[in-house]
Amino acid sequence: MERIQSMARRQLLLKPGTQDRWKITMVKRTRSVMGTIIYYLVMLSLSFVFLYPLLYIISRSFMTSVDVANATVQWIPTHLSFANYRIAMEQIHYWPGFANSAIISFGSAFLQILSCSLVGYGFARFRFPGRGLWMALLLFTFLVPPQTIVVPLYLFFSDIPFLHMNWINTHLPFVVPSLFGHGLKGALFVLIFIQFYRRLPHVLEEAARIDGAGPVRTYWKIMFPLARPAMLVVFLFSVVWHWNDVFEPTTYLTVPDFFNLAQNMATFNGSADAQMGQMAQSVSSSQAIGMPPTLMNQIMAAVMLTIIPILLLYLFVQRYFVESIENSGIAGE
Amino acid sequence: MNLKMKLSIRVRHMLEGYIFILPWIVGFLLFMAIPLGRSFYYAFHRLEPSEHGLVATFVGFTYFRQAFTTDVDFLPLLQKTMTAMVTQVPLILVFAMFSALLLNKASRGKVFFRGVFFLPVIIASGAILRELLDQGAAKLPIFVQYDLFRKLAFFIPEQILEPVLEYADSLTLVMWDSGVQILIFLAGLQTISPILYEAAKCDGATKWEVFWKITFPMIMPMILVNTLFSIVNSFTKTDNHVMNHLMNIVFRNNDYGYGSAIGWLYFLFIFIVLGIIFLIFRKSMATAEGRA
């Protein structure tokens, strides 16, 4: 009798227990669903902020100036207008500028991969007296702002000692420092390669040495091809930074024929601003309120034309790029 | 060949190392050491073009005195740069850390989000960023659209509200500036062994505790790297005012001596800031290691 009672009690006790457990799992599940929803909401809104400049540029570049002035037109133009692109293409001298930009960025990026990898390997794999000092100087190079040495460098490139050549208005001031592992952010690229080579196992080199390969051959045949992830990172950074850079080009390229795209765009922007000022003065004030003169759509088309090549490049390598960043040990040990 | 045989293995190893870094050393002398030395020399000299090239006459500390006394632009611009750095770099670090933690959560659409988060590095840099700033595209429309200022002015006094909203306006710039930093944090987070997290979970640590006791100390080196990168970046950005001032002096006024002096002052200033950062981090790195 008692046993039956206790069993029944136990079952009764068990029942609410199972219910509780079910409840807990349900609460957990709804919580995780809520978590996922919040997570994606946060991610999507952050993505919007990151995509905002691109969307802004694209939407403005297709608008007519009437649309830009129209407050009811927010994002989507009333009709697609390719006129902006046609005008911008002429105004920024697209193809010559593109050629200059391409030579500078791709040439420098290519040379920086070769030289920075070589130097990075030397730092990562060899112990020699003065190594610490040179490493410190490498960091120092990264920290010196380019403005500090711009004057002597400009004078140096305008009259190379012993050779007596003028390199201003050529691509050489960009390409030659890259050959030596310097140039735009060269020190950073060397650091990336150092971190990468440090992580590779020593066994590979030892095997190559035993098979009779010298250090240069070991590097060129075994180690360099393995550094592909680091190469990709350096290549993309180098191309993008050279492409968007205006500081060095404005210093070394002074004749419009040699301007790169970024410079052409800045020049166009300046002239467009002046033109807008004139237009604002010429129209009477009542008209100006109704339709403020603007060339913003053309400027945005020029911006779009400038970034489209690197945007395509990024779309193409993006997938491998993030993986490479993880593998290349850019973050250090 | 004969010479090679005579050298001991150690000496040969050293020579090989030097051969690999030789290009960089040559480049360092040509494009860094000599220019740096020459700009130091120029900073104390007045440079005047003549038929024999530039002629330098010694002027002592005149240019440095000029920078602090007669130049009305230099100090305010320096202060402006400094405030921008102090307000933005911590924000960049916090935001980059937050984004990296979000991105690190394994989920669908990971590749897409990563691609998007890095997009500003491609487009919002250099000349294009300047253009976007000019057109007012660097501000999110929410503050203007919903007339936030007037609505909030009911509750908050204007004197406080105005700087706060200005700060909020610069947030988009902060977010666009943190692409590289997000990637560095992300790579750092991937190097933390999952065993540590499992152990912490077994010991009943909450997520909050796990972050502060494991994640944070483990990515301390990345925080240092990111801090240095952000500071150097903020000092050499295209929209930096000191930089534009310097370029005007050098290329519009052709005042090479004064330009060099300002360049050196700016460099020393950056170096002091970085030195302070190093000191702060050395302390916290040491304590982090002590705890581990």
Side-chain angles (χ1 to χ4, degrees):
Chain A
M1 192 54 190
E2 269 176 32
R3 260 172 79 190
I4 293 166
Q5 263 184 346
S6 71
M7 264 173 75
R9 214 182 294 144
R10 216 177 284 160
Q11 264 179 348
L12 274 174
L13 278 174
L14 207 73
K15 224 180 172 183
T18 46
Q19 256 180 352
D20 269 358
R21 218 174 290 154
W22 182 75
K23 225 177 177 175
I24 287 166
T25 47
M26 274 319 280
V27 166
K28 264 190 183 165
R29 198 169 292 166
T30 41
R31 228 185 239 170
S32 80
V33 168
M34 284 295 284
T36 323
I37 290 170
I38 290 171
Y39 174 77
Y40 277 104
L41 277 179
V42 171
M43 289 302 269
L44 283 174
S45 43
L46 284 179
S47 300
F48 173 71
V49 177
F50 288 120
L51 281 172
Y52 181 77
L54 189 62
L55 295 175
Y56 184 91
I57 295 167
I58 293 174
S59 122
R60 287 299 134 104
S61 68
F62 282 113
M63 283 183 186
T64 56
S65 38
V66 181
D67 279 349
V68 177
N70 190 344
T72 56
V73 179
Q74 276 285 326
W75 284 103
I76 300 161
T78 46
H79 58 270
L80 282 181
S81 136
F82 288 95
N84 299 324
Y85 280 95
R86 221 182 40 241
I87 296 166
M89 203 97 166
E90 278 168 30
Q91 287 291 328
I92 62 173
H93 311 287
Y94 190 67
W95 292 114
F98 179 85
N100 283 328
S101 280
I103 293 170
I104 291 171
S105 359
F106 286 91
S108 303
F110 181 69
L111 290 174
Q112 274 183 330
I113 285 177
L114 289 180
S115 58
C116 295
S117 162
L118 188 78
V119 175
Y121 180 73
F123 275 122
R125 283 299 214 235
F126 292 93
R127 299 280 168 275
F128 44 84
R131 185 174 166 276
L133 175 75
W134 290 115
M135 280 289 275
L137 286 175
L138 183 71
L139 276 176
F140 176 81
T141 313
F142 176 57
L143 302 180
V144 174
Q147 297 92 307
T148 307
I149 54 170
V150 68
V151 178
L153 272 183
Y154 176 79
L155 296 175
F156 174 77
F157 284 126
S158 60
D159 184 21
I160 307 282
F162 307 118
L163 298 171
H164 297 295
M165 284 194 290
N166 185 357
W167 282 0
I168 301 298
N169 288 322
T170 65
H171 301 123
L172 292 173
F174 306 92
V175 177
V176 172
S178 305
L179 190 63
F180 292 97
H182 286 258
L184 193 63
K185 303 243 168 80
L188 184 69
F189 299 145
V190 174
L191 284 171
I192 289 175
F193 274 111
I194 291 177
Q195 292 296 351
F196 182 81
Y197 283 123
R198 228 180 234 167
R199 287 173 153 208
L200 290 180
H202 282 271
V203 191
L204 294 166
E205 287 154 302
E206 279 156 20
R209 290 280 172 112
I210 289 166
D211 286 349
V216 175
R217 198 151 160 218
T218 312
Y219 165 73
W220 187 245
K221 292 272 172 193
I222 311 285
M223 303 304 274
F224 185 63
L226 283 173
R228 230 170 289 147
M231 274 183 233
L232 188 69
V233 172
V234 168
F235 178 73
L236 191 69
F237 275 142
S238 181
V239 167
V240 166
W241 283 334
H242 274 105
W243 194 275
N244 290 338
D245 188 31
V246 269
F247 174 68
E248 287 193 345
T250 41
T251 316
Y252 301 131
L253 305 173
T254 51
V255 182
D257 283 350
F258 290 97
F259 277 7
N260 69 359
L261 271 184
Q263 274 175 291
N264 279 337
M265 200 184 63
T267 322
F268 172 55
N269 189 19
S271 67
D273 274 348
Q275 221 174 315
M276 275 194 265
Q278 280 174 1
M279 279 159 73
Q281 277 178 351
S282 63
V283 291
S284 69
S285 57
S286 61
Q287 265 178 313
I289 292 165
M291 199 189 96
T294 176
L295 295 170
M296 193 219 250
N297 43 357
Q298 290 173 17
I299 293 173
M300 284 300 138
V303 170
M304 195 62 205
L305 284 171
T306 310
I307 56 174
I308 249 183
I310 42 171
L311 212 56
L312 288 177
L313 179 77
Y314 178 60
L315 281 181
F316 186 63
V317 298
Q318 186 262 337
R319 221 200 153 87
Y320 312 98
F321 177 67
V322 180
E323 281 166 25
S324 295
I325 286 259
E326 277 160 20
N327 297 331
S328 65
I330 190 183
E333 306 291 278
Chain B
M1 200 63 212
N2 210 3
L3 183 82
K4 224 176 179 181
M5 298 298 275
K6 272 183 204 157
L7 297 171
S8 72
I9 289 178
R10 263 182 70 195
V11 174
R12 237 167 81 184
H13 185 75
M14 279 175 344
L15 279 181
E16 284 162 10
Y18 263 105
I19 288 169
F20 274 100
I21 67 162
L22 192 69
W24 188 82
I25 293 177
V26 172
F28 176 78
L29 292 177
L30 277 178
F31 305 117
M32 185 54 66
I34 293 174
L36 209 56
R38 279 176 74 177
S39 98
F40 190 70
Y41 173 81
Y42 292 160
F44 293 97
H45 290 76
R46 182 184 295 118
L47 294 176
E48 271 156 318
S50 72
E51 58 262 37
H52 307 293
L54 289 168
V55 174
T57 39
F58 184 73
V59 291
F61 281 96
T62 316
Y63 287 133
F64 291 95
R65 221 175 297 137
Q66 190 184 337
F68 287 110
T69 50
T70 42
D71 190 342
V72 281
D73 291 328
F74 180 63
L75 280 181
L77 286 178
L78 199 62
Q79 196 206 349
K80 217 172 172 182
T81 309
M82 187 70 196
T83 7
M85 196 274 288
V86 167
T87 51
Q88 287 189 358
V89 168
L91 271 181
I92 288 176
L93 287 176
V94 171
F95 178 74
M97 172 91 87
F98 178 68
S99 308
L101 284 171
L102 283 178
L103 279 174
N104 197 35
K105 279 178 92 174
S107 66
R108 235 172 279 168
K110 205 176 180 181
V111 177
F112 168 76
F113 285 128
R114 282 179 183 184
V116 168
F117 276 47
F118 192 65
L119 200 60
V121 178
I122 310 283
I123 44 176
S125 68
I128 293 130
L129 180 66
R130 198 188 280 174
E131 217 82 340
L132 286 169
L133 285 171
D134 276 358
Q135 306 299 334
K139 287 174 182 167
L140 285 184
I142 39 169
F143 298 117
V144 191
Q145 237 168 39
Y146 298 113
D147 207 9
L148 212 61
F149 182 79
R150 226 174 296 158
K151 275 177 194 161
L152 283 177
F154 278 119
F155 313 107
I156 309 166
E158 266 180 46
Q159 289 89 331
I160 303 172
L161 187 64
E162 219 163 313
V164 167
L165 281 188
E166 250 171 53
Y167 206 58
D169 257 348
S170 71
L171 269 184
T172 41
L173 273 183
V174 164
M175 288 164 84
W176 293 352
D177 260 348
S178 45
V180 177
Q181 286 89 332
I182 291 174
L183 280 181
I184 292 176
F185 273 139
L186 199 58
L189 287 174
Q190 310 259 319
T191 60
I192 303 174
S193 152
I195 298 167
L196 286 174
Y197 289 116
E198 270 165 39
K201 211 176 176 187
C202 289
D203 288 346
T206 60
K207 279 188 179 163
W208 181 250
E209 283 168 340
V210 167
F211 174 76
W212 286 110
K213 301 281 177 192
I214 294 175
T215 314
F216 194 73
M218 288 298 277
I219 59 167
M220 206 60 179
M222 283 55 134
I223 297 177
L224 175 63
V225 170
N226 271 340
T227 313
L228 293 181
F229 185 85
S230 312
I231 289 175
V232 171
N233 216 22
S234 85
F235 278 132
T236 53
K237 256 192 313 198
T238 21
D239 55 332
N240 188 304
H241 302 284
V242 178
M243 189 158 145
N244 293 334
H245 182 54
L246 195 141
M247 293 309 282
N248 279 342
I249 290 170
V250 172
F251 291 103
R252 215 161 284 167
N253 309 346
N254 284 324
D255 201 344
Y256 295 131
Y258 186 45
S260 299
I262 282 198
W264 263 91
L265 281 176
Y266 193 47
F267 173 48
L268 284 179
F269 176 70
I270 294 175
F271 230 65
I272 290 167
V273 172
L274 292 174
I276 293 167
I277 296 293
F278 256 115
L279 278 181
I280 294 169
F281 267 89
R282 209 170 63 180
K283 238 182 195 172
S284 61
M285 293 271 266
T287 51
E289 270 161 31
R291 219 182 297 143

